[in-house]
Amino acid sequence: GEALAVSARVAPLGSRLVLLLVEDLTEARRIEAVRRDFVANVSHELKTPVGALSLLSEAVMDAYDDPEAVTRFAGRMQIEATRLTNLVQELIDLSRVQNDDPLEDAEPVTVDELVAEAIDRCRHAAGTKQITMAAGGTADLWVHGNRGQLAAALGNLVENAVNYSPARTRVGIAARRVAGAGGDMIEVAVTDQGIGISDKDKERIFERFYRVDPARSRATGGTGLGLAIVKHVAASHGGEVTVWSAENQGSTFTLRLPEAGSSRDRARHRPDHD
Ligand code: ADP
């Protein structure tokens, strides 16, 4: 309706405008298709654990006289419930990073605290796999942005590094300042010695719900939304996320973010002064 009204207004103005309008409609149609795909994907992703929970609850009822089986089925129900919780949480995170203006309550944030939080979040998973985590170069670096979103972004990268690595490997986090076109940038690189990513998949891993190996991703509680969130956070902060990877050798994901402004501004936000 709106498009038609606009079309009636601009049509007399010449064919160039009409052409622009057609391009606009094509873009609108593309966005609509992306939205429809997204809803279809979400429905599918929700149905999988819900279906499993339903089957498992039936199995529990049938096995009422076999306590061992009941325990086994209940354990699997717990895994499916966790998967659902993760998915819902990531959907909330995704909608938050897409809708909120991250710079509205932007502040200087220390890289130290972002890294510490990311490591904390993965400590349990890393411990189970005896993966060593080490960080370097993070001292005295500040980025400018939304603390919660930045923590979520870095946390996702470190979580992936742990999830897609075999036991007894190392995950390294290295930060440094680099010169950018519009001022200094802070680079935080997360390196793992994991399964790596093929060139073909590298182009798609930042898409929502894209997973190289859906079965493996599901086993680790993955949703396929993590890197889409990271990419969105990086872009909306005026930064970017890039990947280097070699199959069966490992990957490095690099998050580049604008450095925080004046030192006075930073002093006000120094965590121990809060
Ligand atoms: P997921 O929830 O599946 O981890 P992500 O969006 O975080 O979703 O990642 C998308 C896919 O990219 C993963 O399913 C995995 O196949 C691949 N991937 C992400 N990080 C790594 C990594 N560090 N090493 C190898 N593969 C990775």
Side-chain angles (χ1 to χ4, degrees), residues 28-219:
R29 214 166 282 141
R30 194 190 62 79
I31 291 170
E32 174 57 20
V34 168
R35 195 195 59 81
R36 222 179 302 123
D37 275 3
F38 180 67
V39 172
N41 278 330
V42 170
S43 314
H44 176 79
E45 296 293 331
L46 286 171
K47 265 188 192 156
T48 310
V50 171
L53 277 171
S54 159
L55 286 175
L56 284 164
S57 67
E58 269 173 43
V60 167
M61 283 191 267
D62 289 344
Y64 60 91
D65 55 354
D66 180 354
E68 218 167 274
V70 168
T71 310
R72 202 169 60 241
F73 292 140
R76 282 173 53 192
M77 289 180 81
Q78 210 162 41
I79 293 172
E80 295 300 331
T82 306
R83 194 163 292 164
L84 258 180
T85 311
N86 285 350
L87 180 59
V88 170
Q89 185 54 53
E90 293 240 82
L91 282 169
I92 292 170
D93 288 349
L94 182 67
S95 86
R96 200 170 284 155
V97 303
Q98 284 180 338
N99 296 328
D100 297 358
D101 175 6
L103 303 181
E104 202 164 280
D105 39 23
E107 55 185 337
V109 183
T110 65
V111 173
D112 259 339
E113 83 180 276
L114 291 177
V115 169
E117 199 175 319
I119 289 180
D120 243 20
R121 179 167 146 176
C122 305
R123 205 176 289 285
H124 180 74
T128 331
K129 291 168 83 174
Q130 292 177 267
I131 287 175
T132 342
M133 292 191 287
T138 59
D140 288 325
L141 295 182
W142 298 73
V143 290
H144 179 76
N146 179 295
R147 185 185 302 264
Q149 291 198 9
L150 294 175
L154 191 63
N156 261 305
L157 292 182
V158 177
E159 206 165 64
N160 280 346
V162 171
N163 280 344
Y164 298 103
S165 291
R168 284 177 294 281
T169 54
R170 184 176 178 281
V171 169
I173 306 170
R176 59 180 188 148
R177 176 185 294 114
V178 292
D184 280 352
M185 303 286 281
I186 301 297
E187 213 175 72
V188 187
V190 181
T191 300
D192 65 55
Q193 303 171 320
I195 59 175
I197 304 156
S198 73
D199 285 340
K200 180 172 78 49
D201 289 316
K202 255 178 236 166
E203 294 171 15
R204 304 206 54 195
I205 49 173
F206 293 97
E207 291 172 20
R208 295 176 299 192
F209 292 118
Y210 187 79
R211 289 171 290 210
V212 175
D213 176 354
R216 182 187 174 120
S217 163
R218 256 186 227 117

